Amino acid sequence: MEISTEAKLEPFLQWLQVNKVELRGCKIKYSDESKGFGIFSSNEFSDGVLLVVPLDLAITPMRVLQDPLIGPECRAMFEDGEVDDRFLMILFLTVERLRKNSSWKPYLDMLPTTFGNPLWFTDDELLELKGTTLYRATELQKQNLLTLYDDKVKDLVKKLLVLDGDSERANSIFWTRALNIPLPHSYVFPQNQEDLNKYDSINNSAELSNDHNSRGELINGLNDIKNEAQRVNSQVNGATSTLTSTQGETLWIEGLVPGIDFCNHVERSSFHSEKEISISYGNKGNEELLYLYGFVIDNNPDDYLMIHYPAEAIHSIPLSDSKALLLEEQKAQLRCLLPKSLLEHGFFAAGHPKDGNNDNKLEVDRISSFSWSGQRRMPSYLNKLVFPENFLTALRTIAMQEDEISKVSSLLEELVGSGGERQPSDAEVRAAVWETCGDSGALQLLVDLLQAKLTELEESSGMEDYDSELLLKSCITESQGQHASCENNSSEETNGWTQHKMSRKTWSSIVYRRGQKELALLFLKEAEHALQLALTEGN
């Protein structure tokens, strides 16, 4: 039987009180249908602290390993390297949800049962993402979760509870609510019972204050996108463990903090009475926001396009062994992120760069690695080229002809000596490759990759203008208050055109894919212009 909203809240508030949680300057209450429960500020605090939660209430890997029921089994798998610390917390959520008379029940009953990320899309909703990186990543993640459940979770949960598990829901709960928690070193790695006892008092707590209203930066959770699409996110920490850093006696541990985790909505609010306290997820593109957290931002200024040259394709190109060696020597990258902000410095920038000190790092890198013989002219377009040099280096190498490989070898031999007295540096190899090949081969290959990306997007879901028209006529069914005129009709005539109902998941998918098409078009325009200049200048 479905528990009513108010019936869930009162037992949870009592549970927080029993566990010594202090709601000093805030209250937890229902926000709306699309958000669920949230934290709202009040006028009842003076020291800036809104909410205090004892550390021993946090769900962390250490808690799971110390749990009397699942701890021994998890410890054995963890020590053998079979599972990571995130798996431990997801398993804990799965088991506790199914465990009869779980002491965590009041908290778990408050957690959502559905989510907005692509793992929860229907087949029709998922088709809206076809042609995008997220479509492939979601298919892969579903398979990975199924394999994880069958191989590790299912038998263990049955062994512990004689029940089936629900790892997909637990996975989404973790990713949408986990925070980085600063914990004392002796709390994470206690040497004796005295160390544990030190942190039993309420004074050793996690706090939410009006000076700390932003969510700690989560560790990169797009591992499946990276594995499937050769992705590198330069803006997000790429570590794979929740134990992220040591600062003196403090360790940052990823986990869930009951109470504070209800502050996970994104609209910005000030700390006035009865205003919802919201958080910042950082400067993330819609691809990451939708994949991990289940929402997008229309016209997101932090959006980006991922481009990659498939690593497996290198084996089928001419002179693949020689080129693979050169790629390794140059530390070249076969993938890159193209943030929207790069376009501010390109050939078709709408205005001057916002940063007055625009000594572009791309320009510095390339000048330092360019020709030592002076046989090739410096490109006039250098300070307008928005594409990362590490990626252009890879494309330049892949596009090389046989005679160019021989010439590179000769140039490097002149530099380091025929006897191989030393190995050339990666910058020296890059310089030799550029002096031999110039930019036209790399830029032509880049144009081909961008055209292929755009074609894949448009063949799957139409052109950018089509998506813009769909969004203009959209009527999101989940929202309360907004689009109320669409609730009783499949369509509504407005200003001479027809509004169409769509789920928020469908709307999010269209916003995301439209942004990808827009960026693909803009970066293709930049690449085509750079190629034209390179051919004209003999580069």
Side-chain angles (χ1 to χ4, degrees):
M1 180 177 177
E2 185 69 22
I3 304 175
S4 69
T5 300
E6 292 302 322
K8 292 178 182 179
L9 181 58
E10 188 56 36
F12 176 61
L13 294 176
Q14 294 175 4
W15 182 83
L16 291 177
Q17 186 176 13
V18 168
N19 285 281
K20 302 180 180 179
V21 174
E22 296 182 10
L23 301 177
R24 292 185 183 177
C26 66
K27 59 181 68 175
I28 297 174
K29 66 179 186 178
Y30 192 71
S31 181
D32 62 42
E33 184 178 353
S34 64
K35 294 180 182 179
F37 291 94
I39 298 180
F40 293 78
S41 63
S42 66
N43 292 324
E44 300 171 4
F45 70 102
S46 59
D47 59 358
V49 177
L50 303 173
L51 174 64
V52 180
V53 181
L55 293 182
D56 57 7
L57 197 61
I59 300 174
T60 62
M62 297 80 69
R63 166 177 284 281
V64 180
L65 294 176
Q66 295 167 3
D67 186 87
L69 177 65
I70 69 174
E73 294 283 348
C74 288
R75 191 175 300 110
M77 292 191 298
F78 189 67
E79 291 174 352
D80 291 339
E82 296 180 26
V83 299
D84 61 15
D85 35 11
R86 288 173 177 166
F87 171 85
L88 298 179
M89 289 180 280
I90 291 172
L91 179 65
F92 180 85
L93 291 170
T94 302
V95 171
E96 288 298 328
R97 177 176 173 268
L98 299 167
R99 194 174 179 178
K100 290 183 179 179
N101 302 317
S102 169
S103 62
W104 294 86
K105 178 175 170 55
Y107 168 64
L108 297 174
D109 283 345
M110 290 282 288
L111 301 181
T113 56
T114 60
F115 302 86
N117 65 57
L119 285 176
W120 294 80
F121 282 19
T122 65
D123 291 342
D124 288 340
E125 288 169 337
L126 190 58
L127 284 177
E128 301 290 349
L129 292 174
K130 194 171 182 181
T132 68
T133 301
L134 276 193
Y135 181 82
R136 297 186 295 272
T138 301
E139 298 255 289
L140 179 67
Q141 176 70 333
K142 282 187 173 182
Q143 185 58 48
N144 287 346
L145 283 175
L146 182 61
T147 301
L148 179 68
Y149 175 74
D150 288 338
D151 292 350
K152 301 193 185 305
V153 177
K154 185 177 181 180
D155 290 340
L156 182 57
V157 170
K158 284 185 176 181
K159 180 179 179 180
L160 296 172
L161 301 176
V162 198
L163 285 171
D164 290 329
D166 185 6
S167 61
E168 189 172 270
R169 176 174 181 258
N171 177 79
S172 295
I173 287 174
F174 174 81
W175 280 113
T176 55
R177 308 182 79 86
L179 300 166
N180 273 348
I181 311 167
L183 297 175
H185 184 279
S186 57
Y187 181 84
V188 179
F189 301 110
Q191 301 300 314
N192 48 51
Q193 187 62 37
E194 182 180 347
D195 284 340
L196 287 175
N197 293 339
K198 285 194 302 182
Y199 301 104
D200 284 342
S201 71
I202 194 167
N203 294 325
N204 295 287
S205 308
E207 295 183 354
L208 175 68
S209 72
N210 60 353
D211 293 324
H212 297 84
N213 64 320
S214 295
R215 184 186 191 129
E217 190 72 17
L218 284 180
I219 302 167
N220 182 11
L222 285 173
N223 292 321
D224 296 291
I225 289 182
K226 291 197 299 179
N227 293 335
E228 187 272 337
Q230 305 289 325
R231 174 179 182 165
V232 169
N233 190 337
S234 60
Q235 297 173 330
V236 184
N237 186 351
T240 57
S241 170
T242 61
L243 183 61
T244 60
S245 65
T246 305
Q247 298 177 354
E249 287 299 309
T250 299
L251 295 175
W252 289 84
I253 305 295
E254 211 170 2
L256 278 72
V257 184
I260 292 179
D261 64 341
F262 287 92
C263 180
N264 68 335
H265 301 153
V266 294
E267 286 81 6
R268 295 178 180 270
S269 300
S270 56
F271 283 79
H272 300 302
S273 178
E274 291 299 308
K275 292 292 185 180
E276 184 172 7
I277 301 169
S278 54
I279 62 173
S280 168
Y281 282 79
N283 301 326
K284 291 179 170 61
N286 282 338
E287 189 163 281
E288 187 173 358
L289 291 175
L290 183 56
Y291 183 77
L292 290 181
Y293 311 115
F295 70 91
V296 296
I297 299 172
D298 200 7
N299 297 314
N300 188 344
D302 299 307
D303 234 349
Y304 51 74
L305 183 73
M306 191 278 292
I307 297 293
H308 80 287
Y309 186 91
E312 60 275 11
I314 293 178
H315 302 297
S316 61
I317 63 176
L319 308 167
S320 58
D321 291 342
S322 298
K323 292 178 180 180
L325 181 60
L326 282 171
L327 288 170
E328 183 178 351
E329 290 175 342
Q330 297 173 92
K331 300 178 182 177
Q333 297 177 355
L334 294 175
R335 65 275 186 191
C336 73
L337 287 184
L338 299 175
K340 181 187 289 187
S341 58
L342 288 177
L343 295 167
E344 297 175 4
H345 310 295
F347 298 109
F348 304 100
H352 296 291
K354 297 177 182 177
D355 185 359
N357 184 21
N358 185 36
D359 294 330
N360 198 325
K361 188 178 185 300
L362 296 177
E363 182 175 355
V364 175
D365 286 348
R366 298 193 65 181
I367 289 176
S368 65
S369 62
F370 275 174
S371 167
W372 59 79
S373 69
Q375 295 178 9
R376 187 175 292 279
R377 292 178 57 190
M378 194 70 69
S380 65
Y381 50 82
L382 187 60
N383 64 345
K384 291 291 186 179
L385 200 58
V386 298
F387 303 100
E389 177 60 21
N390 278 342
F391 188 56
L392 289 178
T393 294
L395 300 183
R396 194 177 291 123
T397 304
I398 292 168
M400 290 176 72
Q401 304 298 314
E402 184 174 3
D403 62 312
E404 292 173 331
I405 292 179
S406 299
K407 187 174 180 181
V408 167
S409 298
S410 299
L411 287 172
L412 293 174
E413 188 174 307
E414 290 178 17
L415 180 67
V416 302
S418 58
E421 288 82 0
R422 68 176 179 87
Q423 290 295 317
S425 67
D426 58 302
E428 290 169 338
V429 178
R430 289 187 185 196
V433 171
W434 180 81
E435 179 157 341
T436 300
C437 305
D439 289 330
S440 57
L443 291 170
Q444 180 61 65
L445 189 51
L446 178 60
V447 167
D448 294 342
L449 290 174
L450 287 165
Q451 285 178 334
K453 178 83 171 181
L454 183 60
T455 298
E456 184 180 18
L457 288 165
E458 291 181 344
E459 285 182 347
S460 300
S461 55
M463 301 179 69
E464 179 194 353
D465 290 344
Y466 173 71
D467 289 338
S468 296
E469 184 178 353
L470 285 176
L471 293 174
L472 181 65
K473 299 178 180 180
S474 66
C475 175
I476 304 173
T477 57
E478 288 90 343
S479 296
Q480 291 184 343
Q482 295 182 342
H483 311 296
S485 59
C486 296
E487 291 182 359
N488 299 321
N489 302 288
S490 60
S491 62
E492 178 80 10
E493 191 76 19
T494 304
N495 297 326
W497 41 265
T498 303
Q499 280 191 317
H500 296 286
K501 292 171 65 175
M502 65 175 64
S503 70
R504 182 163 294 278
K505 295 172 185 175
T506 298
W507 180 85
S508 297
S509 298
I510 298 173
V511 170
Y512 159 64
R513 78 189 189 202
R514 181 186 65 171
Q516 293 291 287
K517 293 170 189 176
E518 177 190 19
L519 291 178
L521 282 166
L522 292 173
F523 281 111
L524 177 59
K525 185 179 180 181
E526 292 282 338
E528 288 175 335
H529 190 70
L531 174 59
Q532 182 182 5
L533 292 176
L535 292 171
T536 302
E537 298 179 12
N539 278 321

